[in-house]
Amino acid sequence: ETGVTQSPTHLIKTRGQQVTLRCSSQSGHNTVSWYQQALGQGPQFIFQYYREEENGRGNFPPRFSGLQFPNYSSELNVNALELDDSALYLCASSLGAGPLNGYTFGSGTRLTVV
Amino acid sequence: KQEVTQIPAALSVPEGENLVLNCSFTDSAIYNLQWFRQDPGKGLTSLLLIQSSQREQTSGRLNASLDKSSGRSTLYIAASQPGDSATYLCAVLSYNTDKLIFGTGTRLQVFP
């Protein structure tokens, strides 16, 4: 059984640019959630996708958007990057919203905005 | 609004000690609580998942307990080793939110 894989592992972007981060969910999982983790903080929920539709959103502006594909993989897109968007972005997959089996996280994408 | 707190924020101990990490949450209406380990700059590794109906879970030298009514969980690490050095995060999955709420973590250093 494969785990959650994220790409790229590291990324440097300039303020104002756009970025796309990718996530492949664990085999058998149909739900993907994205989290942002600033240095020294716990992860913060961005949004969740289930059956290709957004199924819950945290306190993030609309320039954070996402997609889920039929194979349950997902993308996180961030437009008009700001310096404060620099963080570790984590993808987690689960079967449903996770009540029974919990969440499996990927290794993350470290985004630096300069 | 669910809030999760972890105490202590940092801990440094000699190898071989038994440790207790604490996690508290304000709303007891949870599906489950999950403990994670995070190495510097890395993703999260799930350690233990406790459903709301359970009192504890064990995996090797790790034991996690859950007292839902008082809003507390503890992670017990027996016979600590330098390889246990990492940040430990707890997270709860609350009813009607479909999202994990994390604490800020306990940064553990075990020295030889």
Side-chain angles (χ1 to χ4, degrees), chain B residues 11-76:
Chain B
L11 190 58
S12 182
V13 300
E15 181 176 9
E17 281 205 2
N18 300 323
L19 308 171
V20 175
L21 308 183
N22 296 293
C23 173
S24 61
F25 47 96
T26 55
D27 185 351
S28 62
I30 64 170
Y31 285 116
N32 55 43
L33 182 145
Q34 203 165 352
W35 282 94
F36 295 91
R37 169 186 171 137
Q38 186 173 35
D39 293 294
K42 303 296 184 182
L44 307 182
T45 299
S46 180
L47 298 174
L48 290 164
L49 171 68
I50 311 177
Q51 302 295 344
S52 62
S53 59
Q54 298 174 324
R55 298 286 294 188
E56 65 178 337
Q57 284 286 330
T58 298
S59 176
R61 294 182 294 108
L62 304 179
N63 175 279
S65 67
L66 175 65
D67 184 344
K68 195 175 71 166
S69 61
S70 67
R72 294 180 191 170
S73 176
T74 61
L75 179 66
Y76 177 82

Side-chain angles (χ1 to χ4, degrees), chain A residues 57-98:
Chain A
R57 188 177 184 93
N59 189 27
F60 281 81
R63 59 190 185 83
F64 285 77
S65 63
L67 286 172
Q68 186 181 31
F69 300 100
N71 65 355
Y72 305 126
S73 65
S74 177
E75 289 182 353
L76 165 65
N77 299 290
V78 187
N79 294 321
L81 283 166
E82 301 177 359
L83 297 179
D84 285 348
D85 295 333
S86 296
L88 181 67
Y89 287 85
L90 296 163
C91 170
S93 73
S94 60
L95 183 60

Side-chain angles (χ1 to χ4, degrees), chain A residues 35 37 45 48 99-100 103 107, chain B residues 32 34 38 43 51 98 100:
Chain A
Y35 290 79
Q37 187 179 24
F45 176 74
Q48 181 181 88
L100 293 180
Y103 292 80
S107 299
Chain B
N32 55 43
Q34 203 165 352
Q38 186 173 35
Q51 302 295 344
D98 295 341
L100 287 175

